[in-house]
Amino acid sequence: MEKKMLRRNLIVLILAIACSPVIMGQTSNVKFGSPTKEELTMTSYAPDESAPAVVLYQSTRVWYDIYTGGFKVYTEVKTRIKILKPEGKEYADVEVPYIDNQHDHSATETITGLKAWAYNMEDGKMVKTKMESSNISHERVNKNNMLLKFSVPQVKEGTVIEYQYMKESGYYFYLDTWVAQAEIPVAYTCYDLLIPEYFIFNIDQTGMVPTENKVEQENIRLMGTKGEDLTCSATRYIFEGRDLPALKSDSYVFCTLDYCSKVTAELRGLEVPGSIYKNFTSTWEEIGKTLMDDDDFGKRIKRVCPIKDLVASSGAEKESDVVKKMAGIYTALKSRLKWNGSYRLFAESASKTLKDGSGSNADLNFILLSAYREAGLDARPVVMSRRTKGHLPLSHPSVNKLNTFVVGVVDGQTVHFIDASTEDGYVDVLPPTLLTDQGLLLSDDGTGNWLNLQTLNASKAYVVVDATLGPDGTINGTYNAQMQANLSAALKSEFRKADDSLSYVNKLAERDGVTITEYAIDNRTEFLPKATERFAFTKKVDADGSHIYLNPFVIPTMKESPFKAVTRTLPVEYPFKHLVSMVTTMELPDGYEVEEMPNRLILTTEDNSLSARVNYTLQGKKLLVQYRFSVSKTLFLPGEYDVLRQIYDSIVEKCNEMVVLKKI
């Protein structure tokens, strides 16, 4: 999920400098500017022949120094990547985040020494191309953060690229997380972290692939700019990874970074001789208070509602039901403003958003919050990290890990949720990326409660198929599916994104292997948590005059399993809990009787969190097939994968079994 994000993790978080003379599976080459002949001519990476590129070499060296009476932290970076396939060229486009506070110019980071090269073999000789300044740009993300972007030139299949830079930061209390793995294999990576004795850090290593680690003590000298040199002891942490497998994303993992090998360093305190001990450990309560006191966050909520006229004209204020009142005001808001597709924590001014007619989810959510409060609702922000951006580090609270918020409305002991990015959902029907298990509901004083948004009601689909089978193998039938919550939103979204209704129906017919003669969706455009899909269809099955071979799942439920790998190192994450129930009634032709019919199927995980059931019943001339598939939790650990895979394989097999009819 989010390939661009993973690429940034590769290029930015796995920072590099020469730490070791050995690269497993590659030639020994720690010198920049001189790729070896083996590196230039290699056409594949033996441990992973499918890899579009491979990180040949990268490492990180992080150290501290003194600057004008304070401390600075330096990160020096060097990286070498081999492009193996045309699609690997994207790794020549690099993004480096850094801090640049618009309101406090002293609170900035600088990146210096940026250089990049491409190396290609031409007529048996190495040709080196240097990146020019025209390939470098800076982009502001928000009021505090920037992106340095650059593109290595002359990159094609077979190219070796190198780049290096150094980041200088006055934010000595914050160190970037070091990530050992990426979505392409890493032949060698190293993290060299040197911490003076004055800094007290929590060093936390997590992940499923081990690295080689060592800790050393040494004496160092911090060189100040104004003669304030310090000699002290220091601890050096070295983490090395060799031949690390690619951590590839798939549709059942929201953020691969959550599970890769990484090192997080959290500063607990600073104690310099002759100075008072300074505590840097923060709490989520402190972070909540900081946000609610911020002019661009909490204080924005308390301002006068900018759409009072819209709230009044909607008539929603008079609605006594909280959910209906929320829906009515939201519908009024969306009639004037559109979501621009981006998620943010902070927002533009309300006047700018109203003028533009669109904005991020934060832009619209701040306006929605004030509108709800105007209507007498107890509306509060629920800050979070989107599932595609990874879990919040509850043991190391950090405002930097928060990246968006949704609107929560407290109704007695219940909290209802809504977000401005909800195009096809409803109240309590959020996009899957926002269905996090770590949402912090903030009160006006900054205190908060942790909420699990994955406990919202499961999405459901109730499907009824009525069909008649003719003696020539022709099936005529109707399909009626009542969708609820996120399954309804998914149906509406798929239809909305189609080029037109005809192309959507044709695609549906091809998927189900039928000819659709009539089609309709109820509640397709209404802001409701449900929708009904209906169509009439025909289908032909094998009939040779003496036998008819019928797959009773005339509308397929599961053609193939998404879990084909024999083993899996990552967990399985579902977008939401769901239940699918399907009942197929088939009227059999006169003059035929059932010769063979499949056995029923009942499967479940040990904790009953995933279950499947298929049952066949013959009632006179009617064949009844009942199918039920239920997922009641969203996370299955790798140890549960084998059972999960077996259940899916059994369902697919069952859904492809035949009923054989014999002519009497």
Side-chain angles (χ1 to χ4, degrees):
M1 294 178 185
E2 295 205 353
K3 191 173 185 179
K4 183 178 181 181
M5 177 197 72
L6 291 174
R7 185 164 68 248
R8 185 183 303 171
N9 292 333
L10 161 69
I11 296 175
V12 176
L13 296 176
I14 311 177
L15 308 174
I17 190 172
C19 295
S20 169
V22 179
I23 300 177
M24 294 292 288
Q26 307 297 321
T27 57
S28 301
N29 180 22
V30 299
K31 184 178 179 181
F32 259 54
S34 301
T36 65
K37 182 177 179 181
E38 289 80 2
E39 290 173 332
L40 287 165
T41 58
M42 68 182 292
T43 58
S44 64
Y45 178 63
D48 186 353
E49 298 283 349
S50 66
V54 58
V55 179
L56 296 174
Y57 172 78
Q58 60 182 21
S59 55
T60 302
R61 186 166 68 97
V62 178
W63 72 96
Y64 281 88
D65 219 329
I66 301 175
Y67 183 79
T68 61
F71 290 99
K72 281 199 172 183
V73 62
Y74 296 83
T75 304
E76 194 173 36
V77 178
K78 291 185 178 181
T79 303
R80 178 184 294 120
I81 299 175
K82 172 71 177 186
I83 310 301
L84 297 170
K85 298 181 180 180
E87 57 268 31
K89 293 189 295 182
E90 63 179 311
Y91 296 99
D93 298 323
V94 186
E95 295 181 354
V96 182
Y98 65 97
I99 298 173
D100 181 30
N101 192 312
Q102 285 182 311
H103 304 304
D104 182 3
H105 295 294
S106 64
T108 60
E109 296 179 331
T110 58
I111 297 176
T112 60
L114 173 61
K115 298 178 183 178
W117 306 268
Y119 303 89
N120 290 290
M121 290 293 288
E122 297 181 8
D123 298 325
K125 296 182 179 180
M126 182 181 74
V127 176
K128 179 179 180 179
T129 305
K130 182 180 180 181
M131 180 182 70
E132 302 295 335
S133 59
S134 58
N135 291 52
I136 304 171
S137 63
H138 296 261
E139 176 186 312
R140 179 161 293 281
V141 177
N142 54 43
K143 66 177 184 178
N144 295 323
N145 296 283
M146 296 283 290
L147 280 179
L148 167 67
K149 295 183 174 184
F150 63 90
S151 298
V152 185
Q154 299 298 316
V155 174
K156 56 187 177 181
E157 184 177 357
T159 302
V160 172
I161 65 173
E162 290 183 339
Y163 59 85
Q164 63 182 45
Y165 62 85
M166 183 171 71
K167 183 168 74 172
E168 176 184 313
S169 175
Y171 292 92
Y172 61 85
F173 43 82
Y174 175 77
L175 298 181
D176 291 327
T177 297
W178 177 73
V179 182
Q181 290 175 271
E183 63 177 4
I184 57 175
V186 177
Y188 177 82
T189 183
C190 176
Y191 185 36
D192 185 342
L193 173 61
L194 185 63
I195 299 179
E197 62 178 294
Y198 313 124
F199 293 84
I200 305 170
F201 271 91
N202 287 327
I203 307 296
D204 187 22
Q205 184 178 17
T206 58
M208 300 180 178
V209 178
T211 58
E212 300 173 17
N213 311 331
K214 59 183 176 180
V215 180
E216 301 172 345
Q217 301 295 322
E218 58 185 84
N219 293 321
I220 63 170
R221 186 178 183 185
L222 302 177
M223 306 292 290
T225 57
K226 295 185 178 180
E228 65 269 60
D229 297 1
L230 285 175
T231 300
C232 63
S233 63
T235 304
R236 185 182 296 276
Y237 298 88
I238 298 176
F239 302 86
E240 292 180 301
R242 292 178 170 84
D243 286 333
L244 303 181
L247 200 62
K248 299 176 182 178
S249 60
D250 64 37
S251 57
Y252 284 87
V253 174
F254 276 84
C255 181
T256 319
L257 183 62
D258 278 338
Y259 309 106
C260 67
S261 294
K262 57 185 178 292
V263 175
T264 302
E266 180 207 14
L267 182 60
R268 289 193 290 122
L270 176 62
E271 187 171 17
V272 180
S275 300
I276 298 175
Y277 175 80
K278 188 174 183 180
N279 182 24
F280 284 89
T281 302
S282 184
T283 66
W284 283 112
E285 184 174 351
E286 291 170 340
I287 289 172
K289 290 180 178 179
T290 299
L291 282 173
M292 295 309 289
D293 287 338
D294 193 292
D295 288 337
D296 292 326
F297 196 88
K299 291 184 178 179
R300 180 190 292 265
I301 299 170
K302 302 168 188 175
R303 294 171 188 163
V304 175
C305 175
I307 57 168
K308 293 177 68 173
D309 60 327
L310 200 61
V311 175
S313 63
S314 71
E317 288 178 295
K318 301 176 182 178
E319 176 61 60
S320 59
D321 183 274
V322 169
V323 171
K324 291 182 179 178
K325 181 180 286 191
M326 290 175 64
I329 295 174
Y330 179 81
T331 302
L333 172 77
K334 294 304 285 282
S335 69
R336 183 176 294 184
L337 296 172
K338 293 184 178 180
W339 178 49
N340 66 10
S342 64
Y343 289 98
R344 295 285 185 268
L345 180 63
F346 295 97
E348 301 282 355
S349 67
S351 58
K352 183 180 186 304
T353 301
L354 289 167
K355 180 181 178 181
D356 293 344
S358 66
S360 69
N361 76 315
D363 294 327
L364 275 61
N365 279 345
F366 278 121
I367 297 174
L368 186 60
L369 266 166
S370 63
Y372 281 162
R373 292 191 172 198
E374 177 71 19
L377 295 174
D378 183 3
R380 310 177 195 180
V382 183
V383 295
M384 62 177 63
S385 172
R386 303 197 317 274
R387 294 170 77 186
T388 48
K389 291 295 184 180
H391 280 88
L392 290 176
L394 291 179
S395 60
H396 310 301
S398 171
V399 70
N400 295 318
K401 299 300 183 182
L402 299 171
N403 48 62
T404 196
F405 73 96
V406 303
V407 178
V409 173
V410 179
D411 179 21
Q413 299 300 311
T414 303
V415 181
H416 297 289
F417 305 94
I418 196 167
D419 186 78
S421 65
T422 303
E423 297 284 346
D424 303 292
Y426 191 65
V427 177
D428 295 331
V429 183
L430 301 176
T433 188
L434 300 177
L435 291 176
T436 176
D437 60 355
Q438 301 168 303
L440 183 59
L441 176 73
L442 293 177
S443 299
D444 285 357
D445 62 359
T447 58
N449 296 314
W450 287 103
L451 303 175
N452 183 356
L453 278 68
Q454 293 178 5
T455 60
L456 295 176
N457 292 334
S459 299
K460 298 176 182 179
Y462 297 102
V463 183
V464 175
V465 177
D466 284 313
T468 301
L469 174 63
D472 62 347
T474 300
I475 298 174
N476 290 283
T478 58
Y479 172 96
N480 188 301
Q482 297 180 11
M483 308 289 194
Q484 299 177 11
N486 279 95
L487 289 175
S488 168
L491 171 64
K492 293 179 181 180
S493 176
E494 188 176 358
F495 190 92
R496 178 171 52 83
K497 293 176 181 178
D499 294 334
D500 51 56
S501 58
L502 180 60
S503 63
Y504 175 83
V505 172
N506 288 339
K507 183 179 179 180
L508 178 64
E510 181 180 358
R511 184 194 71 187
D512 291 345
V514 298
T515 299
I516 295 178
T517 55
E518 297 178 20
Y519 182 85
I521 293 182
D522 298 333
N523 300 326
R524 180 175 62 84
T525 58
E526 288 80 0
F527 189 58
L528 292 169
K530 58 184 178 181
T532 299
E533 183 178 47
R534 297 175 287 110
F535 59 84
F537 67 91
T538 63
K539 185 174 186 176
K540 193 73 184 297
V541 298
D542 291 338
D544 59 13
S546 61
H547 290 83
I548 300 176
Y549 303 92
L550 168 69
N551 182 337
F553 288 94
V554 289
I555 302 298
T557 56
M558 192 180 296
K559 287 185 175 181
E560 60 180 8
S561 170
F563 306 121
K564 293 183 171 59
V566 176
T567 60
R568 184 182 176 96
T569 59
L570 295 177
V572 172
E573 294 180 335
Y574 286 92
F576 44 80
K577 298 180 292 183
H578 60 278
L579 164 68
V580 176
S581 174
M582 184 175 185
V583 177
T584 301
T585 303
M586 180 73 66
E587 183 79 27
L588 303 179
D590 292 333
Y592 282 82
E593 64 180 7
V594 174
E595 184 177 61
E596 296 179 19
M597 188 164 64
N599 296 320
R600 69 174 184 170
L601 173 74
I602 300 177
L603 295 170
T604 183
T605 56
E606 186 175 353
D607 61 357
N608 295 317
S609 57
L610 185 145
S611 62
R613 177 177 297 178
V614 181
N615 192 48
Y616 304 86
T617 306
L618 189 60
Q619 300 175 345
K621 283 297 184 180
K622 288 188 176 181
L623 174 65
L624 185 69
V625 183
Q626 296 168 301
Y627 169 88
R628 179 186 172 91
F629 181 76
S630 174
V631 179
S632 59
K633 72 177 184 181
T634 57
L635 178 66
F636 290 80
L637 299 176
E640 300 174 279
Y641 174 71
D642 190 48
V643 171
L644 206 64
R645 177 172 172 262
Q646 291 178 34
I647 291 177
Y648 271 83
D649 286 346
S650 297
I651 296 172
V652 171
E653 182 180 358
K654 183 59 61 177
C655 291
N656 283 289
E657 290 182 341
M658 293 290 179
V659 171
V660 180
L661 303 180
K662 180 179 66 174
K663 191 172 184 178
I664 301 173

